[in-house]
Amino acid sequence: MDFAYDENENTMRVRITELLRAYPPAGTDPAEFHRAQFDAGLAWVHFPEGLGGLGLSRELQDVVDTQLREAGAPVNPSGHIGIGVGMAAPTILAFGTQEQRSRYLRPLWLGEEVWCQLFSEPDAGSDLAAVATRAVRDDAGTSPSGAAGSGGGWVVNGQKVWTSSAHVARFAILLARTDPDVPKHRGLSYFVVDMTAPGVEVRPLRQITGEAEFNEVFLTDVRVPDTARLGEVGDGWKVANATLSSERVAIGGDQADRESGMISKVADLWREHPEVRSAAVHDRVMERWVAAEVFRLTGARLRQRLATGAPGFEGAAMKVMFADLAQSISLLELELDPDGALQYDDWTLVRPASVDFLSRGPGYRYLRAKGNSIEGGTSEVLRNIVAERVLGLPGEPRVDKDVPWKKVPR
């Protein structure tokens, strides 16, 4: 076993050496380097060969990233491609056809095609299984409204909300109802939607920060070919849960250095402004610092677990911890520097492609952190997941679990 591991790691290190020799970071265009990195199997080494990986252990990606970073290689595109890399890619790998994997994964990782997530709906609340957006099979080529079209596939109608990056997205992962006559968890299917298709309308949602990073998405007679379906018809809940597990890990389980992220802002305030120090403040700063360190180390354990297989329900706990930390740390930062924090930097309505907590002011961090307990699954729902599926506690009463969706009051 150890010999196999050493042989695999040696193969990977040879690939790294060959990549750096053929594409010296100092003289290579970043986009060209990243294309070569993907083709060398060094994008995500745990993916299969030919799809950006080498079929190795997930934990070896840290070795790749460290060596490339030390060699001065350009950092892979991040920010608004997070949904694609963190959520769509694992789902496509697990449930997609070989044609779908070959079509989507390379441009997704390279950031050439941005992805968004069409899950949440205005009337479904936190109950994702209650989504009402309909996908109707239409092999004849006519839409529910009578419009003509090419046959073969599905016609989608509905509304989604809180959709990050929809205004810059090329594709979306969609959960839609394909059978209203069965209980809500069994009548769902999962699709890839072209965001440039006729009938897709994206409207900005202005937030408390003044920005509109989220959107409403209206789907009116949107045609989706059956070849864009992930998983079997009716298996949408299963596929969506795999996506959500990956999402919670992506939000709460990033690799981080000690005293990085938002806690660094509070630590800097404490060190640079002795006038704010007191015994009580010291206790609060240390409490949050320790909590941030526990969160960081828990994330390291989670990544070790990921190296042995798919993400489990531990990601739900990480997501709850992340939201609590972001909100409590941003509040403490405001209290340590009230004069500076209340000078909000910019209320201009912009539609950013990504969220950057650290480059903005403390007022932005405090307001934006309010959304952390909602996005990616509300903290209340995630606590239920931890209680029921991790701790084995009795489940919440669910009176509509076995009732056909169309008969459930809404």
Side-chain angles (χ1 to χ4, degrees), residues 129 131-132 134-136 176-188 234 400-408 410:
V131 298
R134 288 293 312 278
V136 178
R177 187 159 305 283
T178 49
D179 188 351
D181 297 320
V182 298
K184 58 184 180 180
H185 293 88
R186 302 210 306 264
L188 300 167
D400 63 351
K401 184 176 181 180
D402 299 318
V403 179
W405 176 83
K406 68 181 182 180
K407 294 184 179 181
V408 176
R410 280 178 293 281

Side-chain angles (χ1 to χ4, degrees), residues 229-388:
R229 173 170 45 83
L230 293 180
E232 298 299 322
V233 175
D235 276 353
W237 184 249
K238 174 183 177 181
V239 183
N241 269 283
T243 301
L244 294 174
S245 293
S246 298
E247 178 183 26
R248 290 155 191 163
V249 172
I251 292 177
D254 287 340
Q255 183 174 353
D257 297 326
R258 174 176 289 183
E259 202 177 285
S260 60
M262 291 175 64
I263 193 62
S264 66
K265 300 296 185 179
V266 169
D268 289 344
L269 278 172
W270 172 263
R271 295 187 179 106
E272 297 169 5
H273 296 278
E275 70 275 8
V276 306
R277 299 176 190 168
S278 69
V281 171
H282 178 265
D283 286 348
R284 293 184 62 199
V285 171
M286 284 305 303
E287 178 189 26
R288 292 296 84 193
W289 193 95
V290 170
E293 183 65 4
V294 169
F295 174 77
R296 186 183 72 85
L297 295 175
T298 304
R301 289 187 61 189
L302 175 59
R303 290 190 299 277
Q304 291 171 354
R305 293 284 297 272
L306 287 175
T308 65
F313 298 115
E314 298 88 352
M318 288 292 296
K319 170 59 174 56
V320 173
M321 294 171 63
F322 168 78
D324 176 72
L325 270 174
Q327 292 174 0
S328 61
I329 290 174
S330 61
L331 173 61
L332 180 57
E333 184 184 9
L334 253 65
E335 294 177 352
L336 292 178
D337 183 24
D339 293 337
L342 292 177
Q343 297 177 11
Y344 194 75
D345 51 353
D346 190 1
W347 286 105
T348 304
L349 174 61
V350 295
R351 304 180 74 182
S354 60
V355 180
D356 186 355
F357 273 95
L358 300 183
S359 67
R360 298 286 299 276
Y364 171 84
R365 283 189 285 276
Y366 174 74
L367 294 176
R368 181 58 181 80
K370 296 301 183 182
N372 292 152
S373 54
I374 302 173
E375 58 192 347
T378 66
S379 292
E380 291 79 7
V381 168
L382 296 178
R383 287 190 175 97
N384 280 346
I385 291 175
V386 172
E388 297 175 18

Side-chain angles (χ1 to χ4, degrees), residues 82-104:
I83 292 175
V85 170
M87 297 161 58
T91 308
I92 294 169
L93 180 65
F95 296 96
T97 64
Q98 187 58 39
E99 291 75 13
Q100 290 169 334
R101 296 171 182 173
S102 299
R103 164 62 185 86
Y104 296 126

Side-chain angles (χ1 to χ4, degrees), residues 130-144:
V131 298
T133 294
R134 288 293 312 278
V136 178
R137 192 66 190 252
D138 179 43
D139 291 327
T142 58
S143 70

Side-chain angles (χ1 to χ4, degrees), residues 205-243:
L205 282 174
R206 191 170 191 180
Q207 304 150 230
I208 194 174
T209 60
E211 296 184 341
E213 74 192 59
F214 299 114
N215 304 272
E216 294 178 289
V217 178
F218 295 86
L219 306 161
T220 305
D221 290 346
V222 177
R223 295 198 160 275
V224 179
D226 194 54
T227 54
R229 173 170 45 83
L230 293 180
E232 298 299 322
V233 175
D235 276 353
W237 184 249
K238 174 183 177 181
V239 183
N241 269 283
T243 301

Side-chain angles (χ1 to χ4, degrees), residues 100-155:
Q100 290 169 334
R101 296 171 182 173
S102 299
R103 164 62 185 86
Y104 296 126
L105 291 178
R106 190 173 188 267
L108 181 157
W109 187 83
L110 292 171
E112 295 172 351
E113 293 175 344
V114 177
W115 287 66
C116 65
Q117 177 192 23
L118 299 177
F119 278 22
S120 298
E121 295 186 9
D123 293 331
S126 296
D127 185 3
L128 180 60
V131 298
T133 294
R134 288 293 312 278
V136 178
R137 192 66 190 252
D138 179 43
D139 291 327
T142 58
S143 70
S145 65
S150 59
W154 303 80
V155 178

